Amino acid sequence: MSAQSDMLAHLMRRKPGHTLPRELYRDADMYDVDMERIWYRDWLLVGSVAEVPKAGNHMTVQIGEYSVIVVRGTDGQVRAFHNSCRHRGSRICQTAKGSAPKLVCPYHQWTYDLDGRLQWARDMGPDFDPAQHGLKPVHCREAAGILFLSLADEAPAFDALAEAAKHYAGPHKLSECKLAHETTIIEKANWKLVMENNRECYHCSGSHPSLCVSFDDNPNIAGDGSGKDDPVIAAHLRKCEGAGLPSSFLIAPNEQWRFVRVPLLGDAVSYTMDGGPSCEKLVGDVTIRDAGSLLFFHYPNSWNHFLGDVVMLFSMMPIGPQETAVTTKWFVHSDAVEGTDYTLDRLTPVWIHTNDEDRAIVEENQRGINSPAYEPGPYSALQESGVAQFVDWYCETMTSRLTGRALYAAE
């Protein structure tokens, strides 16, 4: 039986409203199917165009076996290319971030323009055609300053997401912000466990003392949208909409992404150890400091927070069946001065603590699932509706792609 057939068999025996069969969280063959059918096909959030503000600025991204270069060209356009020289395949860019007028392979100095065209290759003979050896492109799109890549031969639809992002996140003007800090941690757990943990706050009060100063663990906030009529949430939406900040719950037809603006706890205005501001300057066109957080998730790899004074992008990339890299990026107003308008000691501790606590949680979750005694357990309809929504999306998407049968009216 093939790995794809095994995957379908596991999906067919999954009990609705329950966690996944053990194999889907731990087996190498199932991980390979995940990579081929989801990670190498979908749009993946990798950061912001603000990270490559000038021509020649570039960064590298590792997606499974693929290394990708993201670079801003002299025409201002941000593009992406496979980080593999068309000569003998060496990686061209070896650091996470850099800047150069050309992309030069360090092995034999083949030189590419910022738009991927091969400009120079020494001693290749009269019959060599540089035009046939440009860098291989990767689909690259921007949505309200958020940068997405897709490794698919034909990229999935994107325009609906771009329009929604412009409407909801546009006022924060992420493309005009600057990256204040970035961290990457390795969590020794399957990527689905990392996302499941993010999609609920059932665990927050017992695990995240720093976060619970400002983030309300009301299950209607972290759930599937069924609590959007909660009086506290509804009042917050009205206030933010009145201030020109689109806020009401919106989810894609295939439930792959969602936007909603939620209140923080009590008088908190940002994710700080005391709930106070994290940066003196508000971002973009935001005019109220107590705007709460615009929550945006995009499956399979990201969850994000747009606040009045900081934008936080969280993205994960699978490394193996039981290993996942999680990257957090903090963006502030481009004119904000470290030491005057913000300090890293105030901006970052809440989520540095929370990320580390989540790492411990999901690693213990993985260890428990690795036991042959594990069997799928039920989700709490009240507390874990968001987790159930993600797992349903995963199962339905995977089933659709393995069988060729469309399960959604539109993607």
Side-chain angles (χ1 to χ4, degrees):
M1 184 180 291
S2 69
Q4 288 85 355
S5 297
D6 283 346
M7 171 69 82
L8 270 176
H10 294 314
L11 293 172
M12 292 302 101
R13 67 183 177 87
R14 183 224 168 188
K15 191 174 181 181
H18 285 64
T19 58
L20 294 169
R22 178 171 176 257
E23 294 83 359
L24 300 188
Y25 292 121
R26 65 187 303 274
D27 284 9
D29 287 346
M30 298 302 96
Y31 169 79
D32 289 343
V33 177
D34 278 354
M35 297 305 292
E36 291 294 336
R37 298 289 176 160
I38 291 181
W39 288 87
Y40 295 161
R41 292 194 181 189
D42 281 292
W43 287 107
L44 304 175
L45 188 153
V46 298
S48 170
V49 295
E51 297 174 70
V52 286
K54 299 178 181 180
N57 292 168
H58 57 265
M59 63 182 186
T60 57
V61 180
Q62 190 71 33
I63 306 171
E65 295 181 336
Y66 295 86
S67 180
V68 179
I69 306 167
V70 176
V71 61
R72 188 179 290 272
T74 55
D75 59 357
Q77 185 173 340
V78 178
R79 299 177 176 86
F81 304 98
H82 287 286
N83 190 12
S84 180
C85 183
R86 296 298 308 282
H87 177 211
R88 286 168 57 184
S90 175
R91 285 196 311 165
I92 297 166
C93 296
Q94 300 173 344
T95 58
K97 288 187 170 72
S99 187
K102 303 287 184 182
L103 299 175
V104 181
C105 179
Y107 199 176
H108 301 96
Q109 291 72 57
W110 277 35
T111 301
Y112 302 86
D113 203 349
L114 300 178
D115 62 6
R117 290 178 298 170
L118 179 62
Q119 295 293 306
W120 185 81
R122 181 166 53 91
D123 296 338
M124 293 305 296
D127 296 331
F128 178 74
D129 183 2
Q132 301 301 312
H133 294 84
L135 295 177
K136 291 185 176 181
V138 172
H139 298 289
C140 179
R141 292 288 300 270
E142 173 191 352
I146 312 166
L147 187 63
F148 291 85
L149 304 179
S150 173
L151 295 170
D153 291 336
E154 182 176 347
F158 190 82
D159 290 347
L161 169 61
E163 187 63 29
K166 179 181 178 181
H167 183 64
Y168 282 83
H172 295 262
K173 293 191 173 179
L174 176 58
S175 62
E176 300 177 15
C177 290
K178 71 174 182 180
L179 180 66
H181 193 62
E182 175 179 350
T183 65
T184 296
I185 62 174
I186 306 301
E187 302 188 4
K188 294 186 180 302
N190 184 269
W191 69 272
K192 293 185 288 295
L193 294 179
V194 177
M195 183 59 79
E196 287 185 38
N197 179 67
N198 169 262
R199 294 294 289 114
E200 50 93 353
C201 216
Y202 196 13
H203 70 283
C204 288
S205 60
S207 302
H208 298 317
S210 299
L211 180 61
C212 285
V213 169
S214 54
F215 189 81
D216 192 345
D217 67 355
N218 177 346
N220 289 331
I221 287 177
D224 63 356
S226 58
K228 59 183 177 295
D229 296 324
D230 177 298
V232 175
I233 297 176
H236 184 73
L237 296 182
R238 288 194 298 270
K239 178 184 71 177
C240 292
E241 294 272 0
L245 297 174
S247 305
S248 59
F249 182 90
L250 175 69
I251 194 164
N254 66 354
E255 301 194 353
Q256 186 171 20
W257 51 263
R258 176 219 62 192
F259 290 92
V260 65
R261 201 175 296 273
V262 301
L264 297 182
L265 184 63
D267 296 329
V269 296
S270 199
Y271 295 131
T272 56
M273 297 297 286
D274 60 10
S278 59
C279 182
E280 291 302 314
K281 291 184 180 294
L282 297 178
V283 297
D285 294 329
V286 178
T287 59
I288 56 174
R289 192 169 285 280
D290 60 343
S293 180
L294 173 66
L295 304 182
F296 164 51
F297 70 67
H298 187 281
Y299 300 148
N301 87 311
S302 74
W303 55 94
N304 310 279
H305 296 255
F306 290 72
L307 287 80
D309 57 5
V310 62
V311 175
M312 302 181 62
L313 303 184
F314 299 79
S315 60
M316 64 172 171
M317 293 291 177
I319 299 173
Q322 299 183 37
E323 195 169 21
T324 305
V326 177
T327 297
T328 307
K329 299 179 179 181
W330 290 258
F331 296 86
V332 297
H333 193 287
S334 59
D335 293 335
V337 177
E338 184 178 354
T340 300
D341 298 306
Y342 71 96
T343 64
L344 295 184
D345 287 344
R346 184 165 181 80
L347 183 72
T348 63
V350 167
W351 279 100
I352 287 177
H353 294 167
T354 301
N355 287 342
D356 197 51
E357 291 153 1
D358 279 332
R359 170 169 47 189
I361 289 167
V362 300
E363 288 181 354
E364 285 302 324
N365 197 178
Q366 184 71 66
R367 292 184 185 106
I369 288 173
N370 285 343
S371 167
Y374 162 81
E375 62 179 76
Y379 294 122
S380 165
L382 174 64
Q383 292 281 355
E384 297 171 301
S385 61
V387 187
Q389 184 268 335
F390 162 66
V391 172
D392 286 346
W393 172 84
Y394 168 78
C395 291
E396 291 165 3
T397 298
M398 183 63 79
T399 299
S400 173
R401 292 177 185 180
L402 289 174
T403 62
R405 178 168 57 90
L407 293 177
Y408 299 104
E411 287 207 1

